[in-house]
Amino acid sequence: NAGVTQTPKFQVLKTGQSMTLQCAQDMNHEYMSWYRQDPGMGLRLIHYSVGAGITDQGEVPNGYNVSRSTTEDFPLRLLSAAPSQTSVYFCASSTRGGANQPQHFGDGTRLSIL
Amino acid sequence: AQSVTQLDSQVPVFEEAPVELRCNYSSSVSVYLFWYVQYPNQGLQLLLKYLSGSTLVKGINGFEAEFNKSQTSFHLRKPSVHISDTAEYFCAVSDRGNYGQNFVFGPGTRLSVLP
């Protein structure tokens, strides 16, 4: 049972480069989210989706784009990487049911922007 | 907006000693509360959750937490810790709002268990 799978696990980019962080889940979860984790700040929500074709912004959306063409996949795109985007990125998913459903997390992508 | 406070950023404790990790949240409306654990280079794993009912909630690995509505707290406890409990612990709260808008994490507490 794979759960939530994130690729790549590590990435180094130069300022201005673009890349896509991949996230896939095999639990048929409707809800998916992207968070970034920075020291002393916990996890902050970047974007989320409540189903295929539906996305919305979280707390820190600037510099990131998302799309949700299928239930399984929720990629996060950095169009022009900046050093401030150096962080650990987590994808999470949960079932429909709203706020009482715990989220299932991937193992993270560690991203460094030089 | 929701907020979650974890007063201790780091907690060192000796092996087999008890530990309490503190969590306070801001909302006064009905909320759901969660504790997650993150081991090095891994994602977050659910330890326990409070949805309703008994205020004492038991989770995995011998952890438990007590919901206190009047103090808006959800402290995590373990009577005897093990070296393998060394990790970062996150408290999270969500309320009955729309998904994604109301799931908030605290800054985390790093638990170090010393031999």
Side-chain angles (χ1 to χ4, degrees):
Chain A
N1 188 7
V4 178
T5 302
Q6 291 184 237
T7 57
K9 295 190 183 303
F10 302 93
Q11 185 70 49
V12 178
L13 292 178
K14 294 181 180 179
T15 297
Q17 287 186 314
S18 63
M19 81 160 295
T20 299
L21 281 62
Q22 301 291 345
C23 175
Q25 52 93 9
D26 62 0
M27 297 172 284
N28 203 30
H29 285 171
E30 294 88 350
Y31 297 168
M32 297 186 75
S33 303
W34 276 102
Y35 294 88
R36 60 178 289 173
Q37 182 182 27
D38 300 293
M41 303 187 75
L43 278 74
R44 294 181 292 169
L45 182 65
I46 304 171
H47 285 285
Y48 66 97
S49 169
V50 298
I54 306 170
T55 64
D56 206 346
Q57 296 181 350
E59 178 185 358
V60 288
N62 292 340
Y64 307 96
N65 281 349
V66 293
S67 60
R68 184 99 179 269
S69 57
T70 67
T71 299
E72 294 77 20
D73 300 301
F74 191 43
L76 178 72
R77 281 182 287 276
L78 283 71
L79 298 179
S80 179
S84 61
Q85 294 177 304
T86 293
S87 187
V88 182
Y89 292 85
F90 287 99
C91 179
S93 72
S94 68
T95 60
R96 184 187 298 273
N100 64 351
Q101 297 301 314
Q103 299 194 51
H104 300 256
F105 287 84
D107 286 340
T109 294
R110 284 148 186 83
L111 183 62
S112 294
I113 314 297
L114 304 178
Chain B
Q2 292 267 15
S3 68
V4 178
T5 303
Q6 293 181 246
L7 291 173
D8 305 303
S9 59
Q10 297 187 58
V11 174
V13 63
F14 287 106
E15 193 174 16
E16 297 184 3
V19 71
E20 178 180 83
L21 306 183
R22 296 179 290 172
C23 172
N24 290 87
Y25 60 95
S26 63
S27 176
S28 61
V29 300
S30 296
V31 294
Y32 306 112
L33 296 155
F34 306 84
W35 274 100
Y36 287 84
V37 59
Q38 183 182 31
Y39 299 105
N41 299 316
Q42 294 186 24
L44 278 70
Q45 178 183 352
L46 182 68
L47 265 182
L48 50 78
K49 60 185 177 183
Y50 172 79
L51 304 181
S52 64
S54 173
T55 57
L56 185 63
V57 180
K58 294 189 183 297
I60 62 172
N61 301 340
F63 283 93
E64 63 182 31
E66 185 161 16
F67 170 60
N68 187 319
K69 186 175 181 179
S70 63
Q71 297 185 6
T72 59
S73 68
F74 190 53
H75 300 332
L76 181 70
R77 303 186 182 100
K78 187 170 183 178
S80 176
V81 294
H82 190 266
I83 294 287
S84 60
D85 292 323
T86 294
E88 189 147 20
Y89 292 79
F90 292 93
C91 181
V93 60
S94 68
D95 64 24
R96 297 179 188 273
N98 296 326
Y99 174 83
Q101 299 176 1
N102 300 90
F103 204 102
V104 178
F105 287 86
T109 296
R110 185 170 298 276
L111 175 64
S112 299
V113 181
L114 310 171

mmCIF file of all heavy atoms in Angstrom, chain A residues 15-62:
data_model
loop_
_atom_site.group_PDB
_atom_site.id
_atom_site.type_symbol
_atom_site.label_atom_id
_atom_site.label_comp_id
_atom_site.label_asym_id
_atom_site.label_seq_id
_atom_site.Cartn_x
_atom_site.Cartn_y
_atom_site.Cartn_z
ATOM 1 N N THR A 15 18.320 29.826 -9.028
ATOM 2 C CA THR A 15 17.322 30.881 -9.058
ATOM 3 C C THR A 15 16.829 31.089 -10.492
ATOM 4 O O THR A 15 17.635 31.183 -11.430
ATOM 5 C CB THR A 15 17.901 32.184 -8.511
ATOM 6 O OG1 THR A 15 18.266 31.988 -7.139
ATOM 7 C CG2 THR A 15 16.886 33.313 -8.589
ATOM 8 N N GLY A 16 15.510 31.148 -10.641
ATOM 9 C CA GLY A 16 14.915 31.377 -11.950
ATOM 10 C C GLY A 16 14.506 30.114 -12.692
ATOM 11 O O GLY A 16 13.730 30.189 -13.644
ATOM 12 N N GLN A 17 15.020 28.970 -12.261
ATOM 13 C CA GLN A 17 14.621 27.718 -12.907
ATOM 14 C C GLN A 17 13.208 27.340 -12.508
ATOM 15 O O GLN A 17 12.684 27.789 -11.485
ATOM 16 C CB GLN A 17 15.579 26.583 -12.529
ATOM 17 C CG GLN A 17 16.937 26.680 -13.192
ATOM 18 C CD GLN A 17 17.820 25.466 -12.903
ATOM 19 O OE1 GLN A 17 17.923 25.030 -11.749
ATOM 20 N NE2 GLN A 17 18.469 24.957 -13.942
ATOM 21 N N SER A 18 12.601 26.500 -13.304
ATOM 22 C CA SER A 18 11.267 25.998 -12.993
ATOM 23 C C SER A 18 11.339 24.496 -12.755
ATOM 24 O O SER A 18 12.267 23.816 -13.224
ATOM 25 C CB SER A 18 10.298 26.295 -14.139
ATOM 26 O OG SER A 18 10.712 25.621 -15.320
ATOM 27 N N MET A 19 10.373 23.996 -12.023
ATOM 28 C CA MET A 19 10.278 22.555 -11.820
ATOM 29 C C MET A 19 8.903 22.203 -11.291
ATOM 30 O O MET A 19 8.157 23.075 -10.829
ATOM 31 C CB MET A 19 11.348 22.032 -10.869
ATOM 32 C CG MET A 19 11.060 22.205 -9.413
ATOM 33 S SD MET A 19 12.039 21.084 -8.383
ATOM 34 C CE MET A 19 11.426 19.479 -8.873
ATOM 35 N N THR A 20 8.600 20.916 -11.367
ATOM 36 C CA THR A 20 7.329 20.396 -10.866
ATOM 37 C C THR A 20 7.598 19.332 -9.824
ATOM 38 O O THR A 20 8.357 18.398 -10.082
ATOM 39 C CB THR A 20 6.487 19.810 -12.007
ATOM 40 O OG1 THR A 20 6.193 20.837 -12.955
ATOM 41 C CG2 THR A 20 5.180 19.240 -11.469
ATOM 42 N N LEU A 21 6.990 19.493 -8.661
ATOM 43 C CA LEU A 21 7.018 18.470 -7.626
ATOM 44 C C LEU A 21 5.789 17.582 -7.826
ATOM 45 O O LEU A 21 4.661 18.073 -7.926
ATOM 46 C CB LEU A 21 6.974 19.100 -6.229
ATOM 47 C CG LEU A 21 8.276 19.678 -5.662
ATOM 48 C CD1 LEU A 21 8.814 20.813 -6.517
ATOM 49 C CD2 LEU A 21 8.038 20.162 -4.235
ATOM 50 N N GLN A 22 6.052 16.287 -7.875
ATOM 51 C CA GLN A 22 4.967 15.353 -8.140
ATOM 52 C C GLN A 22 4.393 14.783 -6.846
ATOM 53 O O GLN A 22 5.122 14.549 -5.876
ATOM 54 C CB GLN A 22 5.454 14.201 -9.023
ATOM 55 C CG GLN A 22 6.015 14.629 -10.371
ATOM 56 C CD GLN A 22 4.961 15.182 -11.311
ATOM 57 O OE1 GLN A 22 3.760 15.008 -11.103
ATOM 58 N NE2 GLN A 22 5.405 15.876 -12.360
ATOM 59 N N CYS A 23 3.090 14.562 -6.839
ATOM 60 C CA CYS A 23 2.407 13.924 -5.726
ATOM 61 C C CYS A 23 1.328 13.007 -6.280
ATOM 62 O O CYS A 23 0.519 13.443 -7.122
ATOM 63 C CB CYS A 23 1.781 14.956 -4.802
ATOM 64 S SG CYS A 23 0.794 14.219 -3.475
ATOM 65 N N ALA A 24 1.326 11.771 -5.826
ATOM 66 C CA ALA A 24 0.304 10.815 -6.242
ATOM 67 C C ALA A 24 -0.170 10.032 -5.032
ATOM 68 O O ALA A 24 0.627 9.680 -4.167
ATOM 69 C CB ALA A 24 0.862 9.867 -7.296
ATOM 70 N N GLN A 25 -1.478 9.774 -4.984
ATOM 71 C CA GLN A 25 -2.033 8.950 -3.905
ATOM 72 C C GLN A 25 -2.912 7.858 -4.498
ATOM 73 O O GLN A 25 -3.593 8.075 -5.508
ATOM 74 C CB GLN A 25 -2.806 9.804 -2.890
ATOM 75 C CG GLN A 25 -3.860 10.721 -3.448
ATOM 76 C CD GLN A 25 -5.250 10.137 -3.500
ATOM 77 O OE1 GLN A 25 -5.502 9.044 -2.962
ATOM 78 N NE2 GLN A 25 -6.167 10.841 -4.141
ATOM 79 N N ASP A 26 -2.895 6.712 -3.834
ATOM 80 C CA ASP A 26 -3.633 5.553 -4.351
ATOM 81 C C ASP A 26 -4.771 5.146 -3.428
ATOM 82 O O ASP A 26 -5.202 3.990 -3.433
ATOM 83 C CB ASP A 26 -2.675 4.379 -4.589
ATOM 84 C CG ASP A 26 -1.993 3.894 -3.316
ATOM 85 O OD1 ASP A 26 -2.260 4.480 -2.245
ATOM 86 O OD2 ASP A 26 -1.176 2.963 -3.392
ATOM 87 N N MET A 27 -5.258 6.072 -2.627
ATOM 88 C CA MET A 27 -6.306 5.784 -1.651
ATOM 89 C C MET A 27 -7.666 6.326 -2.097
ATOM 90 O O MET A 27 -8.615 6.316 -1.322
ATOM 91 C CB MET A 27 -5.905 6.384 -0.304
ATOM 92 C CG MET A 27 -4.634 5.770 0.255
ATOM 93 S SD MET A 27 -4.010 6.607 1.739
ATOM 94 C CE MET A 27 -3.281 8.073 1.010
ATOM 95 N N ASN A 28 -7.730 6.870 -3.310
ATOM 96 C CA ASN A 28 -8.971 7.439 -3.847
ATOM 97 C C ASN A 28 -9.481 8.588 -2.982
ATOM 98 O O ASN A 28 -10.701 8.770 -2.842
ATOM 99 C CB ASN A 28 -10.051 6.363 -4.008
ATOM 100 C CG ASN A 28 -11.104 6.763 -5.039
ATOM 101 O OD1 ASN A 28 -10.810 7.481 -5.990
ATOM 102 N ND2 ASN A 28 -12.321 6.322 -4.831
ATOM 103 N N HIS A 29 -8.544 9.345 -2.401
ATOM 104 C CA HIS A 29 -8.930 10.478 -1.579
ATOM 105 C C HIS A 29 -9.329 11.660 -2.444
ATOM 106 O O HIS A 29 -8.662 11.985 -3.426
ATOM 107 C CB HIS A 29 -7.754 10.878 -0.673
ATOM 108 C CG HIS A 29 -7.553 9.947 0.477
ATOM 109 N ND1 HIS A 29 -6.442 10.018 1.306
ATOM 110 C CD2 HIS A 29 -8.314 8.944 0.963
ATOM 111 C CE1 HIS A 29 -6.545 9.097 2.239
ATOM 112 N NE2 HIS A 29 -7.665 8.421 2.037
ATOM 113 N N GLU A 30 -10.397 12.314 -2.028
ATOM 114 C CA GLU A 30 -10.848 13.494 -2.769
ATOM 115 C C GLU A 30 -9.990 14.718 -2.470
ATOM 116 O O GLU A 30 -9.730 15.533 -3.335
ATOM 117 C CB GLU A 30 -12.312 13.811 -2.423
ATOM 118 C CG GLU A 30 -13.314 12.766 -2.870
ATOM 119 C CD GLU A 30 -13.531 11.680 -1.847
ATOM 120 O OE1 GLU A 30 -12.771 11.632 -0.856
ATOM 121 O OE2 GLU A 30 -14.451 10.878 -2.021
ATOM 122 N N TYR A 31 -9.572 14.842 -1.213
ATOM 123 C CA TYR A 31 -8.899 16.065 -0.794
ATOM 124 C C TYR A 31 -7.393 15.888 -0.842
ATOM 125 O O TYR A 31 -6.871 14.888 -0.361
ATOM 126 C CB TYR A 31 -9.314 16.438 0.631
ATOM 127 C CG TYR A 31 -10.771 16.764 0.810
ATOM 128 C CD1 TYR A 31 -11.315 16.867 2.081
ATOM 129 C CD2 TYR A 31 -11.609 16.985 -0.269
ATOM 130 C CE1 TYR A 31 -12.638 17.173 2.270
ATOM 131 C CE2 TYR A 31 -12.951 17.286 -0.092
ATOM 132 C CZ TYR A 31 -13.462 17.385 1.177
ATOM 133 O OH TYR A 31 -14.775 17.686 1.370
ATOM 134 N N MET A 32 -6.696 16.877 -1.409
ATOM 135 C CA MET A 32 -5.232 16.875 -1.440
ATOM 136 C C MET A 32 -4.711 18.269 -1.172
ATOM 137 O O MET A 32 -5.362 19.272 -1.516
ATOM 138 C CB MET A 32 -4.715 16.355 -2.788
ATOM 139 C CG MET A 32 -5.102 14.913 -3.072
ATOM 140 S SD MET A 32 -4.357 14.231 -4.554
ATOM 141 C CE MET A 32 -2.665 13.962 -4.021
ATOM 142 N N SER A 33 -3.529 18.324 -0.563
ATOM 143 C CA SER A 33 -2.950 19.611 -0.163
ATOM 144 C C SER A 33 -1.445 19.597 -0.352
ATOM 145 O O SER A 33 -0.826 18.532 -0.326
ATOM 146 C CB SER A 33 -3.227 19.886 1.324
ATOM 147 O OG SER A 33 -4.594 19.859 1.630
ATOM 148 N N TRP A 34 -0.895 20.790 -0.509
ATOM 149 C CA TRP A 34 0.559 20.991 -0.474
ATOM 150 C C TRP A 34 0.894 21.927 0.678
ATOM 151 O O TRP A 34 0.268 22.990 0.844
ATOM 152 C CB TRP A 34 1.065 21.610 -1.777
ATOM 153 C CG TRP A 34 1.314 20.622 -2.869
ATOM 154 C CD1 TRP A 34 0.524 20.350 -3.943
ATOM 155 C CD2 TRP A 34 2.461 19.761 -2.981
ATOM 156 N NE1 TRP A 34 1.111 19.380 -4.722
ATOM 157 C CE2 TRP A 34 2.297 19.009 -4.155
ATOM 158 C CE3 TRP A 34 3.611 19.563 -2.214
ATOM 159 C CZ2 TRP A 34 3.237 18.062 -4.590
ATOM 160 C CZ3 TRP A 34 4.539 18.631 -2.639
ATOM 161 C CH2 TRP A 34 4.347 17.894 -3.809
ATOM 162 N N TYR A 35 1.910 21.518 1.461
ATOM 163 C CA TYR A 35 2.419 22.326 2.553
ATOM 164 C C TYR A 35 3.917 22.543 2.350
ATOM 165 O O TYR A 35 4.601 21.718 1.753
ATOM 166 C CB TYR A 35 2.243 21.611 3.896
ATOM 167 C CG TYR A 35 0.819 21.400 4.344
ATOM 168 C CD1 TYR A 35 0.099 20.279 3.962
ATOM 169 C CD2 TYR A 35 0.209 22.312 5.199
ATOM 170 C CE1 TYR A 35 -1.202 20.082 4.395
ATOM 171 C CE2 TYR A 35 -1.090 22.118 5.638
ATOM 172 C CZ TYR A 35 -1.781 21.010 5.233
ATOM 173 O OH TYR A 35 -3.069 20.814 5.665
ATOM 174 N N ARG A 36 4.401 23.615 2.939
ATOM 175 C CA ARG A 36 5.838 23.771 3.067
ATOM 176 C C ARG A 36 6.182 23.828 4.548
ATOM 177 O O ARG A 36 5.409 24.364 5.365
ATOM 178 C CB ARG A 36 6.363 25.014 2.336
ATOM 179 C CG ARG A 36 5.812 26.347 2.773
ATOM 180 C CD ARG A 36 6.473 27.483 1.991
ATOM 181 N NE ARG A 36 7.864 27.684 2.396
ATOM 182 C CZ ARG A 36 8.718 28.509 1.800
ATOM 183 N NH1 ARG A 36 8.330 29.227 0.753
ATOM 184 N NH2 ARG A 36 9.958 28.635 2.242
ATOM 185 N N GLN A 37 7.319 23.236 4.893
ATOM 186 C CA GLN A 37 7.749 23.177 6.283
ATOM 187 C C GLN A 37 9.059 23.923 6.433
ATOM 188 O O GLN A 37 10.055 23.582 5.791
ATOM 189 C CB GLN A 37 7.931 21.720 6.747
ATOM 190 C CG GLN A 37 8.341 21.603 8.198
ATOM 191 C CD GLN A 37 8.576 20.161 8.642
ATOM 192 O OE1 GLN A 37 8.919 19.305 7.851
ATOM 193 N NE2 GLN A 37 8.369 19.886 9.911
ATOM 194 N N ASP A 38 9.039 24.934 7.284
ATOM 195 C CA ASP A 38 10.231 25.722 7.560
ATOM 196 C C ASP A 38 10.496 25.704 9.065
ATOM 197 O O ASP A 38 9.556 25.659 9.862
ATOM 198 C CB ASP A 38 10.042 27.157 7.067
ATOM 199 C CG ASP A 38 9.775 27.214 5.573
ATOM 200 O OD1 ASP A 38 10.698 26.879 4.815
ATOM 201 O OD2 ASP A 38 8.634 27.536 5.172
ATOM 202 N N PRO A 39 11.759 25.758 9.493
ATOM 203 C CA PRO A 39 12.083 25.648 10.922
ATOM 204 C C PRO A 39 11.323 26.659 11.767
ATOM 205 O O PRO A 39 11.300 27.854 11.469
ATOM 206 C CB PRO A 39 13.591 25.923 10.935
ATOM 207 C CG PRO A 39 14.069 25.519 9.583
ATOM 208 C CD PRO A 39 12.952 25.874 8.644
ATOM 209 N N GLY A 40 10.699 26.165 12.829
ATOM 210 C CA GLY A 40 10.000 27.028 13.772
ATOM 211 C C GLY A 40 8.657 27.549 13.299
ATOM 212 O O GLY A 40 8.016 28.320 14.011
ATOM 213 N N MET A 41 8.228 27.115 12.114
ATOM 214 C CA MET A 41 6.975 27.646 11.572
ATOM 215 C C MET A 41 5.943 26.561 11.328
ATOM 216 O O MET A 41 4.852 26.844 10.814
ATOM 217 C CB MET A 41 7.247 28.427 10.287
ATOM 218 C CG MET A 41 8.232 29.562 10.479
ATOM 219 S SD MET A 41 8.412 30.610 9.053
ATOM 220 C CE MET A 41 6.883 31.528 9.150
ATOM 221 N N GLY A 42 6.250 25.344 11.650
ATOM 222 C CA GLY A 42 5.303 24.271 11.402
ATOM 223 C C GLY A 42 5.075 24.078 9.918
ATOM 224 O O GLY A 42 5.962 24.323 9.093
ATOM 225 N N LEU A 43 3.880 23.655 9.563
ATOM 226 C CA LEU A 43 3.509 23.458 8.166
ATOM 227 C C LEU A 43 2.555 24.566 7.743
ATOM 228 O O LEU A 43 1.594 24.857 8.453
ATOM 229 C CB LEU A 43 2.829 22.105 7.965
ATOM 230 C CG LEU A 43 3.760 20.902 7.822
ATOM 231 C CD1 LEU A 43 4.372 20.517 9.141
ATOM 232 C CD2 LEU A 43 3.010 19.733 7.219
ATOM 233 N N ARG A 44 2.812 25.151 6.616
ATOM 234 C CA ARG A 44 1.941 26.191 6.075
ATOM 235 C C ARG A 44 1.348 25.730 4.748
ATOM 236 O O ARG A 44 2.063 25.238 3.879
ATOM 237 C CB ARG A 44 2.715 27.499 5.915
ATOM 238 C CG ARG A 44 3.160 28.119 7.243
ATOM 239 C CD ARG A 44 3.892 29.427 7.012
ATOM 240 N NE ARG A 44 5.175 29.209 6.348
ATOM 241 C CZ ARG A 44 5.921 30.189 5.841
ATOM 242 N NH1 ARG A 44 5.506 31.435 5.896
ATOM 243 N NH2 ARG A 44 7.082 29.906 5.281
ATOM 244 N N LEU A 45 0.067 25.944 4.596
ATOM 245 C CA LEU A 45 -0.662 25.460 3.434
ATOM 246 C C LEU A 45 -0.392 26.340 2.225
ATOM 247 O O LEU A 45 -0.543 27.559 2.289
ATOM 248 C CB LEU A 45 -2.161 25.439 3.758
ATOM 249 C CG LEU A 45 -3.089 24.918 2.685
ATOM 250 C CD1 LEU A 45 -2.819 23.433 2.425
ATOM 251 C CD2 LEU A 45 -4.548 25.120 3.097
ATOM 252 N N ILE A 46 -0.022 25.705 1.113
ATOM 253 C CA ILE A 46 0.271 26.443 -0.118
ATOM 254 C C ILE A 46 -0.971 26.466 -1.018
ATOM 255 O O ILE A 46 -1.491 27.522 -1.380
ATOM 256 C CB ILE A 46 1.443 25.796 -0.881
ATOM 257 C CG1 ILE A 46 2.683 25.698 0.010
ATOM 258 C CG2 ILE A 46 1.774 26.605 -2.142
ATOM 259 C CD1 ILE A 46 3.817 24.883 -0.601
ATOM 260 N N HIS A 47 -1.416 25.288 -1.439
ATOM 261 C CA HIS A 47 -2.621 25.128 -2.251
ATOM 262 C C HIS A 47 -3.318 23.842 -1.836
ATOM 263 O O HIS A 47 -2.694 22.952 -1.279
ATOM 264 C CB HIS A 47 -2.273 25.032 -3.747
ATOM 265 C CG HIS A 47 -1.882 26.319 -4.404
ATOM 266 N ND1 HIS A 47 -2.798 27.297 -4.727
ATOM 267 C CD2 HIS A 47 -0.672 26.770 -4.800
ATOM 268 C CE1 HIS A 47 -2.154 28.317 -5.310
ATOM 269 N NE2 HIS A 47 -0.866 28.016 -5.363
ATOM 270 N N TYR A 48 -4.590 23.764 -2.149
ATOM 271 C CA TYR A 48 -5.313 22.539 -1.864
ATOM 272 C C TYR A 48 -6.352 22.283 -2.939
ATOM 273 O O TYR A 48 -6.657 23.175 -3.754
ATOM 274 C CB TYR A 48 -5.971 22.588 -0.474
ATOM 275 C CG TYR A 48 -7.069 23.603 -0.325
ATOM 276 C CD1 TYR A 48 -8.407 23.255 -0.471
ATOM 277 C CD2 TYR A 48 -6.767 24.924 -0.011
ATOM 278 C CE1 TYR A 48 -9.415 24.189 -0.324
ATOM 279 C CE2 TYR A 48 -7.770 25.867 0.136
ATOM 280 C CZ TYR A 48 -9.087 25.499 -0.019
ATOM 281 O OH TYR A 48 -10.068 26.434 0.125
ATOM 282 N N SER A 49 -6.884 21.068 -2.924
ATOM 283 C CA SER A 49 -7.889 20.680 -3.912
ATOM 284 C C SER A 49 -8.929 19.786 -3.237
ATOM 285 O O SER A 49 -8.569 18.890 -2.468
ATOM 286 C CB SER A 49 -7.227 19.919 -5.060
ATOM 287 O OG SER A 49 -8.196 19.316 -5.889
ATOM 288 N N VAL A 50 -10.190 20.031 -3.535
ATOM 289 C CA VAL A 50 -11.258 19.204 -2.954
ATOM 290 C C VAL A 50 -11.783 18.186 -3.965
ATOM 291 O O VAL A 50 -12.744 17.472 -3.666
ATOM 292 C CB VAL A 50 -12.415 20.064 -2.413
ATOM 293 C CG1 VAL A 50 -11.918 20.977 -1.290
ATOM 294 C CG2 VAL A 50 -13.061 20.863 -3.518
ATOM 295 N N GLY A 51 -11.164 18.126 -5.133
ATOM 296 C CA GLY A 51 -11.550 17.136 -6.121
ATOM 297 C C GLY A 51 -10.955 17.490 -7.468
ATOM 298 O O GLY A 51 -10.422 18.598 -7.659
ATOM 299 N N ALA A 52 -11.030 16.557 -8.397
ATOM 300 C CA ALA A 52 -10.481 16.795 -9.732
ATOM 301 C C ALA A 52 -11.104 18.047 -10.337
ATOM 302 O O ALA A 52 -12.321 18.225 -10.308
ATOM 303 C CB ALA A 52 -10.731 15.584 -10.616
ATOM 304 N N GLY A 53 -10.254 18.914 -10.857
ATOM 305 C CA GLY A 53 -10.691 20.139 -11.496
ATOM 306 C C GLY A 53 -10.939 21.303 -10.570
ATOM 307 O O GLY A 53 -11.260 22.412 -11.020
ATOM 308 N N ILE A 54 -10.740 21.091 -9.244
ATOM 309 C CA ILE A 54 -11.029 22.143 -8.262
ATOM 310 C C ILE A 54 -9.800 22.379 -7.390
ATOM 311 O O ILE A 54 -9.330 21.466 -6.702
ATOM 312 C CB ILE A 54 -12.211 21.753 -7.356
ATOM 313 C CG1 ILE A 54 -13.429 21.379 -8.197
ATOM 314 C CG2 ILE A 54 -12.547 22.895 -6.395
ATOM 315 C CD1 ILE A 54 -14.547 20.758 -7.377
ATOM 316 N N THR A 55 -9.269 23.596 -7.434
ATOM 317 C CA THR A 55 -8.138 23.946 -6.581
ATOM 318 C C THR A 55 -8.385 25.312 -5.952
ATOM 319 O O THR A 55 -9.197 26.102 -6.448
ATOM 320 C CB THR A 55 -6.807 23.993 -7.367
ATOM 321 O OG1 THR A 55 -6.877 25.034 -8.352
ATOM 322 C CG2 THR A 55 -6.519 22.669 -8.053
ATOM 323 N N ASP A 56 -7.663 25.571 -4.875
ATOM 324 C CA ASP A 56 -7.794 26.869 -4.223
ATOM 325 C C ASP A 56 -6.507 27.184 -3.486
ATOM 326 O O ASP A 56 -5.671 26.298 -3.246
ATOM 327 C CB ASP A 56 -8.979 26.884 -3.259
ATOM 328 C CG ASP A 56 -9.529 28.295 -3.048
ATOM 329 O OD1 ASP A 56 -8.844 29.275 -3.430
ATOM 330 O OD2 ASP A 56 -10.637 28.413 -2.501
ATOM 331 N N GLN A 57 -6.344 28.466 -3.133
ATOM 332 C CA GLN A 57 -5.124 28.924 -2.492
ATOM 333 C C GLN A 57 -5.187 28.714 -0.991
ATOM 334 O O GLN A 57 -6.242 28.830 -0.369
ATOM 335 C CB GLN A 57 -4.913 30.409 -2.787
ATOM 336 C CG GLN A 57 -4.699 30.720 -4.247
ATOM 337 C CD GLN A 57 -4.483 32.203 -4.491
ATOM 338 O OE1 GLN A 57 -4.670 33.031 -3.598
ATOM 339 N NE2 GLN A 57 -4.051 32.550 -5.694
ATOM 340 N N GLY A 58 -4.011 28.454 -0.423
ATOM 341 C CA GLY A 58 -3.883 28.376 1.012
ATOM 342 C C GLY A 58 -3.266 29.647 1.572
ATOM 343 O O GLY A 58 -3.480 30.741 1.053
ATOM 344 N N GLU A 59 -2.465 29.481 2.600
ATOM 345 C CA GLU A 59 -1.885 30.615 3.322
ATOM 346 C C GLU A 59 -0.746 31.281 2.562
ATOM 347 O O GLU A 59 -0.565 32.491 2.609
ATOM 348 C CB GLU A 59 -1.382 30.114 4.686
ATOM 349 C CG GLU A 59 -0.710 31.170 5.554
ATOM 350 C CD GLU A 59 -0.133 30.579 6.819
ATOM 351 O OE1 GLU A 59 -0.272 29.358 7.050
ATOM 352 O OE2 GLU A 59 0.493 31.343 7.586
ATOM 353 N N VAL A 60 0.067 30.475 1.834
ATOM 354 C CA VAL A 60 1.269 31.008 1.188
ATOM 355 C C VAL A 60 1.337 30.567 -0.278
ATOM 356 O O VAL A 60 2.230 29.832 -0.682
ATOM 357 C CB VAL A 60 2.548 30.585 1.948
ATOM 358 C CG1 VAL A 60 2.662 31.320 3.258
ATOM 359 C CG2 VAL A 60 2.576 29.070 2.179
ATOM 360 N N PRO A 61 0.414 31.024 -1.144
ATOM 361 C CA PRO A 61 0.351 30.517 -2.512
ATOM 362 C C PRO A 61 1.297 31.178 -3.510
ATOM 363 O O PRO A 61 1.512 30.634 -4.607
ATOM 364 C CB PRO A 61 -1.097 30.833 -2.898
ATOM 365 C CG PRO A 61 -1.391 32.093 -2.139
ATOM 366 C CD PRO A 61 -0.660 31.965 -0.831
ATOM 367 N N ASN A 62 1.865 32.336 -3.166
ATOM 368 C CA ASN A 62 2.618 33.104 -4.161
ATOM 369 C C ASN A 62 3.852 32.352 -4.627
ATOM 370 O O ASN A 62 4.653 31.862 -3.831
ATOM 371 C CB ASN A 62 3.022 34.456 -3.577
ATOM 372 C CG ASN A 62 1.823 35.348 -3.349
ATOM 373 O OD1 ASN A 62 0.763 35.134 -3.937
ATOM 374 N ND2 ASN A 62 1.973 36.320 -2.482
#
